[in-house]
């Protein structure tokens, strides 16, 4: 199974073109378009999303991740990270730093040595990463010319990121705080507002805000039958903190 | 074939996560994302859409339907409805009441006895309904621990719903009126305006509104080369009626 | 592999319904939703997009293309174009005129003789073109009752179209100019503004506009880390020209 995590957007041909390249090498290989709307130019948020949302997929899943790093993209190089029996393919090891931190003794990182005969300047997802993802999914990794390489950048720390990393279509605002329900604080502060913990949506008065542990283990701010992001003017990157 | 009908939206990971659970149990099983934008908190509209849009799919299709019922969700329980050789899986039998009414002597309803070892509070589509849908598609229904159960709620009646149930991206406004072309009225009233019947778009003057029988047998209000919903301020839930 | 190029939009059931018809005839056949947002009522732009974006797909790919032609749709008839080892199915030969012009000695055009027993007025993509696409993909073209037919309309000329044909979600604006990088002009004029050529995004100052050859060989106007369409008020159909 190949899982796509990108900032390509749903409109336009880009997801289809990348999937086409996958099918051209392995017609009908299972492909899932998990995220097409990871925040652009925000490798930090993307790295926490990739770590949280890859957990539920089975071993041997290949995550094909392409997010525009914005300024300074020249310092990144194509990598494969193998962690916990899964593969992560994409531009630069920083994107997978949370995955690596979560699997400290159980990951390997490789530089991709293979280069396509035709490599566009702007669509490495299609030209470079898609073929590598197929080879990994088919067990033909030798074709990708992988060489073990150490991390070249300082990984993000600590494991919890006290920022908003994604806002979904309901206006629910995910943080990078990944916890067991037992170790959660009772109150979360964001933009001067305090939110209390609820077990789930139906425990909250309709229209009122709260936080809860979402179905992927991330602390998330929500409003029962309402749009938290609009109501409280929340944006990716906003800081959050526990309060007493 | 498994067909998804949800209010999850296209953005974000939810459709991908549910598909991932399907593929984890049956890699590459055909999955179609039919509706990701059924109106939320509107089980009535959803039940008419499910009935109208499931008809064209072949026998043995499994419809995996998840729509947030809003207030009072505690009275629903996980069901499978078997009607006309097709399966409908989802939260609560009210969601399938129009399907059942359309197949009065030819349906069975089951309570899902199986429970996953890990059931999140907020994502039963992934944790509970997706595995059941796969088992039904694979002919392994015994794994879902189905028990025949009577309807627990009063089904919607009559068979025609004189309301708008969906507005598509063109601004075409579908009603819950499902008819043969012979039994259609000549004029439809909505929000004080009267629309005349046309056979198809090209019969109408560009820019003018009309109603017609859409390709799924629902009465639909449209504008030739225009946006009916914007032009006439139409919303899901608006009442319609025949006039002389 | 069947590739969908339509103006159906991502919302609503239409892509799913057409895919359902494909799967009903060939469960699990690889289907790619390449474009769901080709400009409506703009066969000219669509014909250039189809030509540019079909190139990268392998032989035997079937392109199922449905775009509303708007006024005068009565003069079109269902066709299959076979060009360069690929198939193009859709309403009217004008839609494929750029494909044909690009493959002058290497294409055949057929009228589709087959008609479904149930043909809706408004959804030929599902009822007529989808079954034909499956037959072509499965090598059962005799079922489509194809008859060789000459072009019935004057094809678009010249091969380069000096107009905007698509604006993507980043605000990048594609033209219909398809060139080798060597034969590009140095300056492009649009709406009174002049854009200079860049090799790729990172060569441009953030926030400044430029043009480049995109990964499908089309001249495209973009802004590094910005939205060209919003910044310069660009729309599909705007004229462009080379300047000295």
């Amino acid at each position: 199974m190949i899982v796509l995590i990108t900032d390509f957007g749903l409109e336009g041909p880009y997801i289809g073109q990348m999937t086409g390249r996958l099918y051209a090498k392995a017609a009908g290989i299972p492909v899932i378009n998990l995220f097409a709307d990871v925040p652009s130019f925000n490798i930090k948020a993307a790295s926490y999303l990739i770590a949280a949302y890859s957990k539920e997929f089975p071993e041997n899943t290949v995550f094909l991740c392409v997010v525009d790093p914005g300024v300074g993209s020249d310092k990144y190089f194509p990598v494969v990270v193998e962690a916990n029996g899964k593969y992560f393919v994409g531009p630069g090891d920083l994107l997978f730093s949370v995955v690596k931190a979560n699997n400290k003794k159980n990951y390997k990182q490789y530089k991709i040595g293979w280069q396509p005969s035709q490599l566009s300047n702007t669509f490495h997802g299609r030209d470079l990463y898609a073929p590598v993802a197929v080879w990994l999914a088919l067990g033909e990794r030798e074709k990708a010319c992988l060489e073990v390489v150490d991390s070249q950048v300082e990984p993000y720390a600590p494991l919890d990121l006290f920022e908003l990393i994604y806002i979904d279509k309901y206006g629910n605002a995910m943080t990078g705080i990944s916890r067991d329900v037992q170790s959660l604080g009772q109150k979360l502060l964001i933009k001067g507002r305090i939110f209390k913990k609820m077990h789930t949506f139906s425990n909250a008065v309709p229209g009122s805000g709260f936080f809860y542990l979402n179905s992927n283990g991330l602390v998330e701010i929500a409003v029962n039958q309402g749009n938290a992001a609009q109501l409280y003017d929340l944006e990716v990157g906003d800081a959050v903190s526990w309060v007493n």
Side-chain angles (χ1 to χ4, degrees), chain A residues 1-12:
Chain A
M1 184 173 358
I2 296 175
V3 173
L4 312 182
I5 300 178
T6 71
D7 61 354
F8 291 177
L10 291 163
E11 297 81 19

Side-chain angles (χ1 to χ4, degrees), chain A residues 16 19 23 29 36 38 56 63 102 109 115 121 126 129 137-138 172 176 188-189 192 200 206 211 221 227 239:
Chain A
T19 308
Y23 283 1
I29 195 169
V38 164
E56 72 191 70
F63 296 89
N102 285 347
Q109 178 168 283
Q115 277 232 349
N121 290 312
R126 176 192 67 183
Y129 301 116
L138 297 178
N172 298 339
L188 195 69
L189 176 72
T200 187
F211 79 89
I221 296 164
N227 187 307

Side-chain angles (χ1 to χ4, degrees), chain A residues 4-69:
Chain A
L4 312 182
I5 300 178
T6 71
D7 61 354
F8 291 177
L10 291 163
E11 297 81 19
Y14 308 116
I15 294 289
Q17 289 182 274
M18 203 159 70
T19 308
R21 201 54 58 96
L22 299 173
Y23 283 1
K25 287 202 172 289
I29 195 169
V31 176
I32 287 176
N33 182 17
L34 185 63
F35 278 99
D37 58 352
V38 164
S40 289
F41 313 127
N42 191 334
I43 298 295
K44 203 202 270 193
S47 69
Y48 281 87
L49 285 172
I50 291 169
Y53 282 82
S54 59
K55 282 182 193 160
E56 72 191 70
F57 285 87
E59 278 196 20
N60 292 315
T61 299
V62 179
F63 296 89
L64 173 42
C65 306
V66 188
V67 181
D68 190 334

Side-chain angles (χ1 to χ4, degrees), chain A residues 18 61 74 91 110 114 151 170 172 184 190 192 203 209 225 238:
Chain A
M18 203 159 70
T61 299
D74 46 337
Y110 308 91
W114 175 78
S151 287
Y170 304 102
N172 298 339
L184 284 177
I190 179 167
N203 295 129
Q225 298 185 40
D238 286 346

